[in-house]
Amino acid sequence: MQKLSADIFRVGVIDRQIDLFEGMYAVPEGVTYNSYVIKDEKTAVIDSVDGAFGCEWLKNIETVLNGTKPDYLIVQHMEPDHSACVAEFVKKYPDAAVIGNRNTFVMMEEFFGKDIAPNRITVKDGEQLSLGKHTLKFVFAPMVHWPEVMVTYETETKTLFSADAFGRFGADDNAEWMDEARRYYIGIVGKYGVQVKGALKKISEYEIKAVAPLHGPCLTGKALNEAMRAYLLWSDYKPESDRGTLIAFTSVYGHTAAAARMLADELEKRGEQVKVLDLARDDWAECVAQAFRFPKLVLATTTYNADVFPAAREFIDRLTERNYKNRTVAFIDNGTWSPVAAKIMRAKFEKCANIKFAETEVIIRSALNGQSIAKVKALADELITL
Ligand code: FEO
């Protein structure tokens, strides 16, 4: 538990046991499911937690309420990592009203069946609720990350309860924010940049002194400014800086890896910031996040079954399904007898908006030789100018 202000408490839980978040994202440092209590003349609880932690969450609420009862449960997001314990809450506090929007209650009935929350208040976008000195404004943020999502602005402390937005993986609040926030955002919400941008525009009307997300630490001051800047860039599909290259490779016997590392050395000699990741071994969500971080991407892979090596093919799918755009892309293709991977990869990226291709294409026949080494160097020369 954490006291955020005189009346606002963080009452969520830490999950260190989870193997895969949403069944697909590795979270070796765990994840938090945040929930909040605002105590006033009326008391509101914001969101619940994952189903494995209902008892702990209700106990946390009980401790903060110190013998009093909550008046409202605000359901900002119906994804089960936040809504799984709504039924337990209603059972324990049947007099409390459950607040959501029309879509919230449709999903609630889908997940839990009818009549889980007979005592309900259905709010509209922009509607307000006074708790006493704290007034809450509900701002709909559809597709950040599901259609029913709304965020809640609290006027007294100027806190934005931001649902999934501004969240990050990792249970340690003191850990660095950016890398795990980027991996979380690009992985989970990356496809919905337009909607995130829309939500950012809506909340820009409010003075925000603190952001209280559903995962990760609450943000204030410099950390909040950095997070806002990152969200503006990410939602606009812009890289975080003007320079920098991700070299993402696969390698069957080490020869393509050698070419990827040679290119990295050549780029670094020319002053470029470079990150090299192995698509078959490094965390896939990190590979995707780093591709969105940098303005340039080099894919070094093999032709395999007259197509692209599977890990590279999946990587491209994961980029394109998240609306990868506004970047420079280059290819290194290793094909022992009939290299076609570069051509196939290029066709996939041609469907993305605003992709510029390097003119230099490196084709390796099995292993680097004088000719392909010269091409790697030429690619480094070209990339540095793009
Ligand atoms: Fe953290 Fe979209 O749920």
Side-chain angles (χ1 to χ4, degrees), residues 11-301:
V11 292
V13 298
I14 295 173
D15 187 350
R16 293 186 193 277
Q17 307 304 319
I18 184 172
D19 60 344
L20 291 174
F21 182 81
E22 288 189 358
M24 63 193 295
Y25 297 94
V27 280
E29 303 304 322
V31 67
T32 64
Y33 311 114
N34 298 337
S35 165
Y36 300 93
V37 168
I38 306 172
K39 287 171 81 173
D40 203 332
E41 289 164 29
K42 300 280 185 187
T43 294
V45 178
I46 301 183
D47 288 310
S48 80
V49 297
D50 182 88
F53 299 90
C55 287
E56 185 182 339
W57 172 62
L58 289 171
K59 189 88 194 146
N60 288 347
I61 293 172
E62 211 176 293
T63 304
V64 165
L65 294 189
N66 197 21
T68 62
K69 295 246 161 53
D71 297 282
Y72 305 109
L73 173 65
I74 297 161
V75 180
Q76 299 187 115
H77 185 14
M78 271 305 297
E79 192 165 9
D81 53 336
H82 311 295
S83 71
C85 300
V86 170
E88 284 175 63
F89 179 93
V90 171
K91 196 169 166 201
K92 182 165 180 180
Y93 300 112
D95 294 333
V98 177
I99 296 179
N101 56 57
R102 199 178 63 79
N103 287 332
T104 316
F105 291 112
V106 170
M107 289 185 185
M108 205 175 284
E109 290 189 4
E110 286 173 1
F111 275 111
F112 295 104
K114 278 195 184 303
D115 300 331
I116 173 201
N119 186 10
R120 68 176 67 171
I121 298 171
T122 306
V123 294
K124 292 195 168 65
D125 193 11
E127 206 167 320
Q128 297 192 17
L129 174 75
S130 173
L131 302 177
K133 64 181 181 182
H134 301 273
T135 297
L136 304 180
K137 295 187 181 185
F138 304 109
V139 180
F140 288 13
M143 301 318 295
V144 190
H145 135 241
W146 279 14
E148 85 299 357
V149 168
M150 57 187 195
V151 299
T152 306
Y153 180 70
E154 190 281 309
T155 55
E156 171 77 10
T157 59
K158 305 188 191 314
T159 298
L160 178 74
F161 296 92
S162 61
D164 273 341
F166 300 101
R168 77 143 158 77
F169 296 132
D172 179 3
D173 277 1
N174 297 315
E176 188 262 353
W177 185 83
M178 187 63 79
D179 281 344
E180 283 298 76
R182 182 193 303 111
R183 196 167 69 91
Y184 169 90
Y185 172 89
I186 299 295
I188 289 167
V189 204
K191 181 179 176 61
Y192 303 109
V194 171
Q195 291 85 348
V196 174
K197 226 176 141 176
L200 291 173
K201 189 159 184 286
K202 279 169 101 171
I203 64 168
S204 70
E205 288 176 25
Y206 303 107
E207 183 190 0
I208 296 170
K209 289 193 172 164
V211 162
L214 288 178
H215 302 287
C218 298
L219 302 167
T220 56
K222 191 166 165 250
L224 174 55
N225 292 340
E226 282 173 6
M228 281 288 180
R229 177 183 176 272
Y231 262 65
L232 287 168
L233 291 171
W234 294 340
S235 62
D236 226 3
Y237 298 94
K238 287 181 178 158
E240 290 170 31
S241 58
D242 293 339
R243 305 221 58 84
T245 300
L246 170 66
I247 302 175
F249 75 93
T250 68
S251 193
V252 182
Y253 295 106
H255 302 97
T256 317
R261 296 207 170 96
M262 174 178 282
L263 178 64
D265 289 345
E266 292 296 326
L267 285 168
E268 281 169 355
K269 272 189 226 163
R270 290 160 177 78
E272 180 83 341
Q273 183 188 359
V274 182
K275 183 138 189 118
V276 181
L277 290 170
D278 181 341
L279 295 173
R281 291 178 178 82
D282 288 312
D283 174 70
W284 73 263
E286 175 65 4
C287 295
V288 169
Q290 292 293 332
F292 278 88
R293 175 185 176 190
F294 290 115
K296 286 172 269 185
L297 167 66
V298 179
L299 261 154
T301 189

Side-chain angles (χ1 to χ4, degrees), residues 363-383:
I363 303 291
I364 301 166
R365 291 286 185 165
S366 304
L368 283 168
N369 60 18
Q371 202 177 8
S372 50
I373 286 171
K375 280 284 191 183
V376 168
K377 290 180 179 175
L379 179 58
D381 283 337
E382 186 187 357
L383 283 170

